[in-house]
Amino acid sequence: MTALLPPTLPLADAAALRAAGRTPDVPFRVTLADGRELTMTHLLRVLPGKRIVGDSLLDGRRVLAKLFVDKDSARRAERERQGIAALAAAGIPTPALAAAAALPGGGHLLTTEFLDGATTLLEHWRPLAERAPGDAAALALLAPAFSLLGRLHCAGLAHDDLHFGNFLLHDGRLYLIDGDAVTTANAPLAAKPAARDLAMLIAQLPRTWDGALAPLLDAYRDGGAPALDDAALARALHHERAWRLRDYLAKTGRDCTLFRVRRSLHRFEAVVRSEADALAPLLADPDRWIESGHSLKRGNTCTVARVEVGGRQLVVKRYNLKHLGHAISRAWRPTRAWHSWREGHRLSLFGIPTPRPLALIEERWGPLRARAWLVTEYCGGPDMRAHLQPDAAPTPAEAASLKTLFDTLYRERISHGDLKATNLLWDGNKSLLIDLDAARQHATIAGFHRAWRRDRARFLRNWPADSPLHRWLDAMLPGRP
């Protein structure tokens, strides 16, 4: 790695790194208080103005470096150091501490061993996330993390930021990272904080897994964890899921690690950060792409086209304004694109299949909103009106997918608002819900039941009432009168 570095590198300090925001230039050097130099070669994570994490070199050794650059750097670095030490003392696998030092002029550095080739549990979970709850491969992947959490609690330690990205797999061993989130208590950990931690980990799973958690809870107990309080776990899980939903939906509208958001007097743009570079040409002129793409719908209120960006099929939907009166009536409200953007991410968080929302653009005149565009992934499968045959019940795979989708919608009090069969697609493996302009999650049971009855009736009207498919759907759909 050193052979690839330029002979001279810029020297940075805490003030310069704070000012660099989300994109500090790498590679760069920082001087330690003892005169040594650390070279950061690749960025891994940046919290603008607070912390920079990256692949680095110190004393000729490859390390993972965390640079704390805000005014609380001393406290944050010390908390990280103490957390790593606590994990190590408890026998919880975590990358070993290599060095801790102050930076001249402010800021602190902490380095740990670099686990070359390590992958996160999240990377392994993503391709398994859409499998059936209790899938053997998914359980084999997840059980060691629950067992490790049991060991953590047995040692009297808690972790305030448990997610699959904070578990690393390296050479067949599972590691827990982020010492800053580790807190110590009496061993074993008390029931309330133990339930909170366990709820954080369970909340990473789709809610369809709620009936398949027994093997994972057994793995947690096998780790030596204290006895579970089912009622405390249920309360903690409810609280964690509600908080996670609020936090995630808030992130869809602000600049953060997951989303890049740009605002100006005349434009609002939000894009999944990992997609920003690939979608840049499309975001610069969405109308040109719509005109050159394959038209899917040309209506007064919306125009939809399939486009190809970098060899990838996407859908761009433009929400039109029919006339001046329509423009005035819509100007003060969130656009339908904004609503679909948020609801698409809500459904994804609940494990409800829908084409992934990738980007949102709104024309704005200060606080007033005009036209808007939504970019999503493309599903090339048929809609359910064309796919399902009225003279037969669905196949087992179709039946299972439809039942899971509608049961989840019902459980989470989500109505669609226009549940035509053409708004449900089949990709060969699962059903996907589209056209989320009127979708909403209801705060009250009464309001949801009124909306659900309309959704249910609208979906059933797609097929003759005396057909076998209609009868099967009527028996399957929850909320039957």
Side-chain angles (χ1 to χ4, degrees):
M1 183 167 60
T2 55
L4 301 178
L5 297 176
T8 59
L9 296 173
L11 190 64
D13 59 15
L17 294 173
R18 281 196 302 273
R22 193 175 292 281
T23 56
D25 292 331
V26 287
F28 63 81
R29 296 174 298 143
V30 292
T31 301
L32 311 188
D34 59 11
R36 291 183 296 165
E37 286 188 351
L38 176 129
T39 300
M40 185 165 285
T41 58
H42 297 92
L43 297 176
L44 297 176
R45 191 181 183 201
V46 178
L47 291 180
K50 295 181 180 180
R51 188 169 75 221
I52 298 171
V53 184
D55 188 351
S56 305
L57 291 171
L58 180 62
D59 298 331
R61 178 186 175 190
R62 192 178 184 188
V63 294
L64 179 81
K66 290 189 176 183
L67 291 167
F68 300 86
V69 297
D70 65 353
K71 63 180 181 180
D72 292 327
S73 64
R75 180 182 62 83
R76 295 181 188 276
E78 177 59 17
R79 181 172 173 176
E80 179 87 22
R81 188 198 65 77
Q82 290 180 358
I84 293 173
L87 290 173
I92 305 298
T94 194
L97 182 65
L103 306 179
H108 287 76
L109 165 73
L110 188 144
T111 67
T112 60
E113 66 174 319
F114 191 91
L115 302 180
D116 194 16
T119 52
T120 68
L121 187 64
L122 180 61
E123 293 173 75
H124 294 270
W125 164 249
R126 280 174 176 153
L128 302 178
E130 292 184 354
R131 294 196 181 183
D135 174 78
L139 287 174
L141 174 70
L142 298 173
F146 281 79
S147 178
L148 192 60
L149 180 60
R151 291 171 55 190
L152 186 80
H153 289 172
C154 184
L157 302 180
H159 197 292
D160 293 337
D161 192 20
L162 280 169
H163 57 80
F164 292 164
N166 272 339
F167 291 88
L168 296 183
L169 288 161
H170 182 254
D171 288 344
R173 195 179 190 196
L174 187 65
Y175 291 75
L176 182 60
I177 61 172
D178 196 0
D180 180 67
V182 174
T183 57
T184 59
N186 295 325
L189 195 64
K192 187 173 181 179
R196 182 211 61 182
D197 280 10
L198 188 55
M200 270 194 282
L201 203 53
I202 293 173
Q204 310 300 308
L205 303 172
R207 300 195 189 196
T208 51
W209 272 73
D210 283 3
L213 294 174
L216 299 178
L217 297 179
D218 287 343
Y220 172 74
R221 296 185 188 94
D222 291 344
L228 280 174
D229 182 331
D230 292 340
L233 178 58
R235 288 192 299 271
L237 188 55
H238 176 78
H239 179 272
E240 180 63 26
R241 282 172 167 166
W243 176 88
R244 191 165 179 256
L245 177 63
R246 290 193 304 271
D247 179 67
Y248 185 69
L249 293 182
K251 287 177 178 177
T252 65
R254 63 177 172 85
D255 198 66
C256 60
T257 302
L258 294 176
F259 300 96
R260 191 196 71 188
V261 173
R262 293 176 174 174
R263 304 170 186 265
S264 68
L265 182 63
H266 300 301
R267 179 181 169 102
F268 174 91
E269 177 185 296
V271 57
V272 175
R273 186 171 292 279
S274 61
E275 303 281 354
D277 291 341
L279 295 181
L282 171 59
L283 299 180
D285 191 358
D287 283 340
R288 180 176 67 83
W289 287 80
I290 289 175
E291 292 308 314
S292 62
H294 175 75
S295 178
L296 299 177
K297 181 179 181 180
R298 289 190 177 274
N300 289 331
T301 58
C302 68
T303 303
V304 187
R306 185 181 78 239
V307 303
E308 183 174 321
V309 181
R312 180 182 178 194
Q313 299 290 314
L314 304 175
V315 171
V316 185
K317 186 174 185 179
R318 183 181 66 219
Y319 293 82
N320 304 318
L321 298 174
K322 295 183 291 185
H323 45 68
L324 180 61
H326 186 217
I328 293 173
S329 71
R330 298 292 319 181
W332 296 99
R333 293 179 284 168
T335 64
R336 288 173 295 153
W338 174 278
H339 187 84
S340 294
W341 166 256
R342 283 175 59 90
E343 295 311 304
H345 287 291
R346 185 195 305 271
L347 263 58
S348 296
L349 196 64
F350 287 142
I352 299 170
T354 188
R356 186 184 179 208
L358 302 176
L360 162 72
I361 304 170
E362 290 183 335
E363 285 181 338
R364 292 190 177 183
W365 298 89
L368 305 180
R369 310 188 191 203
R371 295 187 305 166
W373 296 258
L374 180 70
V375 182
T376 69
E377 292 181 334
Y378 172 70
C379 172
D383 64 62
M384 286 299 188
R385 185 74 175 88
H387 182 66
L388 295 179
Q389 301 303 310
D391 57 355
T395 66
E398 294 161 351
S401 176
L402 287 168
K403 180 169 176 52
T404 298
L405 185 148
F406 282 108
D407 284 351
T408 307
L409 289 172
Y410 191 81
R411 184 181 66 246
E412 303 303 335
R413 299 181 188 172
I414 296 173
S415 65
H416 182 271
D418 188 20
L419 202 54
K420 300 177 292 190
T422 51
N423 282 333
L424 207 57
L425 306 181
W426 178 254
D427 73 351
N429 297 299
K430 60 183 179 299
S431 309
L432 292 91
L433 200 59
I434 63 169
D435 197 5
L436 307 179
D437 300 9
R440 61 175 295 193
Q441 186 174 30
H442 296 260
T444 67
I445 295 177
F448 166 68
H449 281 166
R450 285 193 297 270
W452 183 258
R453 284 194 294 270
R454 291 192 293 269
D455 272 0
R456 195 181 194 281
R458 180 65 187 90
F459 192 64
L460 289 172
R461 283 202 305 272
N462 287 282
W463 298 278
D466 60 349
S467 66
L469 177 59
H470 186 286
R471 290 195 296 271
W472 183 89
L473 289 169
D474 190 27
M476 179 275 296
L477 287 169
R480 187 176 185 179

